[in-house]
Amino acid sequence: MPNASARPKHSGRRTRRRPREDPARNELVSSSLESAQQCLFRQDYGPAFVHYLLVLNLAPEFKDFARESFRFTLFKWAEELDSAGRIQELFGCYEQALELFPADEVILNSMGEHLFRMGFRDEAAGHFFKALKLKPDFPEARENFYRVANWLVERWHFLMLNDHGRNRKYQQAIQKAVRGGCTTVLDIGTGTGILGMCAKKAGAGEVYACELSKTMYELACEVVAANGMGGGIKILHKKSLEMEVPKDIPHRVSLVVTETVDAGLFGEGIIESLIHAWHHLLLPPQSKEAAPRDPSATGRVIPARATVFAMAVECLEIRRHNKLCVSEVGGLSLAAAEQLRSPVSCSTEPDDSMEPYTTERLSRLPGGYTALTEPLTVLRIDFNNVQELEGLSSRPVQRLRLPVLREGELDALAVWFQLHLDEESSLSTGPHEDTCWEQAIYPEHTSKGFLLQGGDELIVEVSCRDAYLRLCSVAVLRSGQQIHLGTTPDPHDSDGLVPNAEAELCSALASLQTRQQHDVCMLECSEMALLNNSDYHRSFAGALSKLISRLKAQSQSMEDPDVPMQVGKEPCAADPLYILDVSEGFSLLSLIAASQGGVKAYSSVEKRKQQEVLGRLARANGVLEGSLEFWLNHGEDEQGPLQRPSREKLWSAILLDCVETCGLVRQKLMEKASLARCLLEHGGRVFPHKMVVFGMLVESDTLLLESAVQGREPTLDFNIAPFINQFTVPVHVFLDFSTLACRHLSEPAELFVLNLMDANANYDDREVQIRTTTSGRITAVPFWYDIHLDEDICVSTLAPNSHWKQAAVVLQRPLEVAAGEQVRLMVKFRNSSISVDVRRDE
């Protein structure tokens, strides 16, 4: 065997051996490259993509030369695969492309866009973030990332990490447990790794952590390494339910720490994960009967226990987002709508089509709320008792009585909890606490608001049949009689109460309601709030009426210019005005248009149940049959949602949905408006006519805390902020300006105008001068929209009964200003995104 250490001798510098030519390979590369270009010329993108793959795998030296053509081919072929529904092949092509160009920010961004459209938001955000890391000034990736960053690192992470009180209490409980002998620790759902680092800092010999989100797992690894604990904490990218001993951790641990709880306590799966941990990952608990054992030989959980509280509330804001509160909108009676309600509804029987609760910060609800009952303890749970955890789902439904303190309409049950970390320390998520938590809201869906009276007792059923906490108001006890609320009374009711005549009537109605459950139509909470917005629909009805009258007069004058338009006279049925409503979700605007007469209105409502509701409302309001159509049932997909109604006819009006509920301009709005203008008949209109963006300078510590981690002090001096703050976004959404804790530093000012009827009136950026009215720190610029339906009629997204929320640009560096000082706002509008840069006027 030759001497392995022998090396050839070189004189002078080393020479590089030239690669041997391979004529067959070169011929194949050349012919495939030519075939790719020919296919591309013929717009035959599938074969072109295959030829490019072959060329670039055989001859990587052609990558720089062919990059642009390869990208173009990939994107065109992906569009064809997408339209054909061949999604698996589409992502296969992107994976092949990224094997060739793993650091191509354009391909990463494009794949992210496809992932987002398919509903894979977390994965999409990850691709946008990778594209930004490769090219920080890539505007398309940055705008995409800002829109989906909330799914990558949810905003509550910032609030939680800024909650010094919460962090300190967890640290103290962990420190006490570790110093008491719990030296092997598992952090379930580690997030940024802060609880695991607390255990390591307290002296734990072995610390393990698991995190399901790939983004948060990678973030935790970076944070732990930056804090000098990379070798002391083992982090697994895995769900705790999949962990095993000794495959993932060498032996059972003596302490599990977790905060996998949501506003409803059990919504993040803490029960299932702790049952699994007790059976597979934790040492057995300390027995209460036996003599105390070595803490390192027994298991325990932080938090140790939880106590859940509930109270009944009256709140108009909750009401209008969950049930129909108006009898007519835009001149239409809603009596025939039957049961419309939000998908947030709770019952003791699990229903996959419903969410059992939503979440709100009660202290910030517009108009506030009124507590109708005292808080009552509805549940206690011991996380250190595995039998209690296992028996939670099989607990019998419990009926509790909440004494009513004051008169008011029953809108919801508000729920919060106290998390007992150990015997001494606890956290409360109550509405009066200064905490990062929201409260769980269980809306009441009785068709007409039920008025509770002082002295009543509200009977609430509590269950956890599918490991979700479920609360349902079922009856009211009044003067010894029981009045049932929306459920069929139990003939074997343990209360043993005989209902009076009023109660019997209520029970019959409830029974009827139960039998007609198939008639319930679900609308999203934002759709319910829109439906309840009478001012919005009144404004649209007025603007549409003006346009329709003008177009009818115009049509008649063209037929016979010498004959004046007669009042009440309609054009002939063969020549209606065509109106298209392309609003997102459930919209009554097409029906309002059809009710004007002489109109053929098209709705873009997709869901069959919602179409049936619009059909019933049309018949009940005397709208002529055929005056309302559902566009997506008749249109040809390849022509898109703004195609012409017929070859001969153009649209008289196109109604665009311009603002997302969260407060942002809808994506591709200006492109849709441009297309819509091309499809209008002479004198036709795009609704709205224009949007004026208004803003104001404010100082708000709340917005800062919700947008980024503020230094190291709130995070127990761990170095976390630089890492998680990579995921901050400049625009804070779903903001309610009326309840935002802030100081106004200026008057409202016009920031920008978006003209949907005149493209020449628009611009990309604008400089705005604003004079401050008060001294302070400018931390944010909240903004909202005046939506001009025509020259005279306008609706505002800032209106008290608006279904829209507001948004705010949060400054990375707050700017100190004095009263009377003038500042410059550099406002830009690009790809439906608004950005604001605040500068001192020099």
Side-chain angles (χ1 to χ4, degrees):
M1 180 177 178
N3 186 351
S5 64
R7 283 178 168 73
K9 295 180 180 179
H10 294 279
S11 59
R13 63 188 178 188
R14 186 174 298 181
T15 58
R16 180 178 295 177
R17 180 179 296 176
R18 297 182 60 188
R20 295 178 58 187
E21 292 290 334
D22 185 342
R25 165 191 167 279
N26 292 347
E27 177 63 27
L28 180 58
V29 168
S30 177
S31 62
S32 292
L33 187 58
E34 184 177 350
S35 296
Q37 292 168 342
Q38 289 175 352
C39 290
L40 198 57
F41 180 76
R42 296 194 302 268
Q43 299 183 0
D44 199 357
Y45 299 116
F49 179 73
V50 172
H51 284 300
Y52 272 125
L53 282 179
L54 180 61
V55 169
L56 297 178
N57 277 296
L58 287 174
E61 62 269 21
F62 279 97
K63 282 185 179 180
D64 289 340
F65 166 75
R67 182 187 296 263
E68 291 296 331
S69 297
F70 177 75
R71 280 176 179 167
F72 177 80
T73 305
L74 168 66
F75 300 156
K76 287 294 186 181
W77 179 226
E79 286 178 9
E80 290 188 13
L81 292 173
D82 193 0
S83 63
R86 296 160 63 182
I87 305 304
Q88 190 170 352
E89 291 177 64
L90 183 154
F91 288 124
C93 290
Y94 271 101
E95 288 168 1
Q96 290 175 302
L98 287 172
E99 287 177 8
L100 289 168
F101 298 97
D104 190 301
E105 71 280 358
V106 179
I107 295 176
L108 281 165
N109 181 66
S110 180
M111 184 174 183
E113 291 177 337
H114 281 285
L115 284 165
F116 183 75
R117 284 198 292 272
M118 296 296 116
F120 301 104
R121 291 167 170 171
D122 190 27
E123 295 84 349
H127 280 74
F128 298 144
F129 185 63
K130 289 177 184 176
L132 274 180
K133 272 192 165 182
L134 291 166
K135 189 177 180 182
D137 60 346
F138 185 14
E140 285 81 6
R142 181 162 296 280
E143 288 155 12
N144 282 331
F145 174 70
Y146 285 160
R147 283 191 176 266
V148 299
N150 289 342
W151 287 285
L152 196 61
V153 175
E154 293 181 272
R155 302 299 94 185
W156 56 259
H157 280 286
F158 297 112
L159 271 174
M160 186 184 71
L161 291 168
N162 282 317
D163 189 342
H164 183 265
R166 169 260 180 202
N167 297 333
R168 184 63 182 158
K169 286 182 178 180
Y170 254 102
Q171 183 185 43
Q172 290 171 342
I174 292 170
Q175 187 177 74
K176 182 180 174 183
V178 171
R179 292 178 179 174
C182 297
T183 58
T184 54
V185 182
L186 171 62
D187 178 6
I188 294 179
T190 193
T192 58
I194 188 171
L195 299 186
M197 291 192 295
C198 284
K200 195 65 186 176
K201 188 176 180 178
E206 299 173 49
V207 179
Y208 308 95
C210 62
E211 175 57 52
L212 181 60
S213 163
K214 189 171 190 300
T215 299
M216 293 307 299
Y217 160 75
E218 293 172 349
L219 179 62
C221 291
E222 287 184 288
V223 169
V224 167
N227 284 274
M229 301 182 187
I233 301 177
K234 180 183 178 182
I235 307 177
L236 295 91
H237 178 216
K238 183 171 282 191
K239 199 173 184 177
S240 70
L241 297 173
E242 300 170 354
M243 291 178 61
E244 302 174 12
V245 174
K247 178 182 175 183
D248 300 299
I249 57 177
H251 48 73
R252 290 177 178 245
V253 298
S254 54
L255 176 64
V256 159
V257 296
T258 188
E259 200 184 34
T260 50
V261 291
D262 69 342
L265 188 58
F266 303 139
E268 287 192 17
I270 189 172
I271 299 299
E272 188 180 14
S273 63
L274 288 183
I275 291 173
H276 175 268
W278 277 116
H279 283 302
H280 302 285
L281 307 174
L282 260 169
L283 290 166
Q286 178 74 56
S287 173
K288 292 182 180 179
E289 292 78 18
R293 291 188 291 168
D294 179 2
S296 64
T298 60
R300 60 178 291 195
V301 172
I302 295 177
R305 295 173 290 110
T307 306
V308 182
F309 305 92
M311 69 179 179
V313 298
E314 178 182 53
C315 179
L316 177 59
E317 185 72 4
I318 293 174
R319 187 187 314 157
R320 71 190 190 93
H321 278 83
N322 289 281
K323 61 185 178 184
L324 189 61
C325 304
V326 294
S327 58
E328 70 89 25
V329 291
L332 298 172
S333 168
L334 300 182
E338 297 185 11
Q339 291 193 59
L340 289 170
R341 69 185 193 193
S342 77
V344 184
S345 184
C346 194
S347 72
T348 54
E349 295 297 328
D351 184 344
D352 292 338
S353 68
M354 305 240 189
E355 292 290 332
Y357 53 85
T358 183
T359 64
E360 296 284 357
R361 196 180 297 274
L362 285 174
S363 60
R364 289 199 206 169
L365 284 175
Y369 70 95
T370 300
L372 302 180
T373 68
E374 288 284 2
L376 182 72
T377 300
V378 297
L379 182 77
R380 288 187 174 91
I381 185 74
D382 184 352
F383 297 129
N384 284 289
N385 186 329
V386 67
Q387 290 78 23
E388 191 172 322
L389 296 173
E390 290 176 323
L392 183 68
S393 292
S394 58
R395 281 187 185 185
V397 176
Q398 184 182 13
R399 280 199 167 188
L400 302 175
R401 296 184 182 184
L402 277 68
V404 176
L405 300 178
R406 59 184 59 86
E407 181 177 297
E409 187 169 335
L410 175 62
D411 290 316
L413 295 171
V415 170
W416 64 94
F417 55 87
Q418 191 169 12
L419 209 57
H420 305 277
L421 303 182
D422 56 22
E423 296 305 318
E424 298 175 358
S425 185
S426 64
L427 298 169
S428 173
T429 67
H432 301 298
E433 303 289 338
D434 183 15
T435 174
C436 61
W437 291 90
E438 294 183 328
Q439 292 76 51
I441 303 297
Y442 295 77
E444 170 56 45
H445 283 292
T446 48
S447 56
K448 290 186 178 181
F450 187 87
L451 201 66
L452 294 177
Q453 298 175 4
D456 288 349
E457 286 186 303
L458 180 64
I459 299 176
V460 176
E461 288 188 343
V462 182
S463 67
C464 302
R465 296 212 178 161
D466 54 352
Y468 272 94
L469 180 61
R470 295 178 177 273
L471 281 82
C472 184
S473 304
V474 294
V476 172
L477 186 62
R478 178 177 296 168
S479 302
Q481 305 298 326
Q482 196 172 101
I483 305 171
H484 292 265
L485 302 173
T487 58
T488 306
D490 185 353
H492 306 292
D493 196 325
S494 59
D495 289 310
L497 298 169
V498 180
N500 58 15
E502 178 189 7
E504 288 178 354
L505 176 60
C506 289
S507 297
L509 290 173
S511 179
L512 179 63
Q513 183 183 30
T514 303
R515 291 196 300 271
Q516 292 180 338
Q517 284 296 311
H518 62 278
D519 292 328
V520 173
C521 177
M522 301 296 173
L523 301 183
E524 294 301 322
C525 291
S526 58
E527 294 174 326
M528 285 301 310
L530 170 59
L531 187 57
N532 285 319
N533 190 342
S534 297
D535 292 341
Y536 172 86
H537 290 96
R538 188 183 305 113
S539 298
F540 252 104
L544 281 170
S545 178
K546 285 169 61 179
L547 174 67
I548 290 169
S549 296
R550 179 170 59 79
L551 290 177
K552 287 178 179 177
Q554 177 180 299
S555 174
Q556 183 173 3
S557 64
M558 290 177 64
E559 293 176 6
D560 188 352
D562 297 325
V563 178
M565 178 67 179
Q566 297 180 18
V567 177
K569 182 178 179 181
E570 303 288 352
C572 62
D575 189 28
L577 302 176
Y578 283 81
I579 294 180
L580 173 64
D581 175 16
V582 289
S583 299
E584 299 285 333
F586 184 78
S587 170
L588 287 180
L589 299 184
S590 56
L591 183 55
I592 290 173
S595 68
Q596 303 281 335
V599 169
K600 183 88 167 179
Y602 287 84
S603 168
S604 293
V605 168
E606 297 182 59
K607 296 179 180 177
R608 180 66 61 184
K609 203 81 171 177
Q610 295 179 1
Q611 290 181 359
E612 291 173 2
V613 170
L614 287 175
R616 284 201 302 270
L617 289 174
R619 292 188 292 273
N621 283 276
V623 175
L624 293 177
E625 188 172 353
S627 296
L628 175 67
E629 298 284 347
F630 296 102
W631 184 241
L632 296 179
N633 294 353
H634 301 286
E636 299 178 19
D637 292 340
E638 64 269 17
Q639 295 185 19
L642 290 176
Q643 68 186 62
R644 304 175 186 223
S646 67
R647 291 182 181 177
E648 304 81 22
K649 188 74 178 174
L650 294 173
W651 297 107
S652 304
I654 296 178
L655 317 181
L656 298 180
D657 196 354
C658 300
V659 180
E660 295 182 21
T661 307
C662 68
L664 298 178
V665 175
R666 286 206 180 272
Q667 286 189 297
K668 299 190 180 299
L669 171 65
M670 303 313 288
E671 290 88 337
K672 290 179 182 177
S674 178
L675 177 58
R677 289 193 299 271
C678 297
L679 299 175
L680 292 175
E681 66 172 312
H682 177 69
R685 296 292 296 269
V686 171
F687 283 86
H689 166 66
K690 68 177 180 180
M691 295 202 307
V692 181
V693 186
F694 287 92
M696 177 186 286
L697 306 178
V698 302
E699 177 178 359
S700 175
D701 289 336
T702 298
L703 284 179
L704 291 179
L705 293 173
E706 293 178 356
S707 301
V709 174
Q710 304 298 312
R712 295 178 63 151
E713 182 182 357
T715 55
L716 312 174
D717 287 329
F718 290 122
N719 188 19
I720 297 177
F723 301 94
I724 194 167
N725 285 351
Q726 297 176 86
F727 299 92
T728 60
V729 295
V731 179
H732 186 101
V733 295
F734 285 109
L735 168 71
D736 200 303
F737 194 30
S738 68
T739 59
L740 175 67
C742 68
R743 292 177 61 233
H744 296 185
L745 303 182
S746 76
E747 296 293 332
E750 181 183 301
L751 303 183
F752 217 78
V753 177
L754 302 176
N755 195 309
L756 277 65
M757 280 296 293
D758 184 2
N760 296 324
N762 290 316
Y763 38 81
D764 294 327
D765 52 72
R766 183 182 184 218
E767 181 177 317
V768 180
Q769 303 258 347
I770 296 185
R771 190 170 299 279
T772 60
T773 56
T774 308
S775 299
R777 290 185 311 149
I778 303 173
T779 60
V781 183
F783 58 89
W784 60 93
Y785 313 89
D786 275 5
I787 301 176
H788 293 260
L789 305 180
D790 59 21
E791 290 78 4
D792 305 313
I793 300 177
C794 171
V795 295
S796 173
T797 64
L798 196 62
N801 61 348
S802 171
H803 62 286
W804 290 291
K805 298 297 184 182
Q806 292 80 53
V809 175
V810 181
L811 276 58
Q812 288 186 342
R813 295 183 181 85
L815 180 65
E816 288 276 358
V817 292
E821 188 174 347
Q822 191 153 293
V823 297
R824 288 185 298 148
L825 274 59
M826 312 305 295
V827 187
K828 294 184 179 179
F829 181 79
R830 188 178 186 278
N831 293 340
S832 300
S833 295
I834 295 172
S835 63
V836 181
D837 182 23
V838 182
R839 302 175 185 175
R840 198 181 304 278
D841 197 14
E842 298 174 356

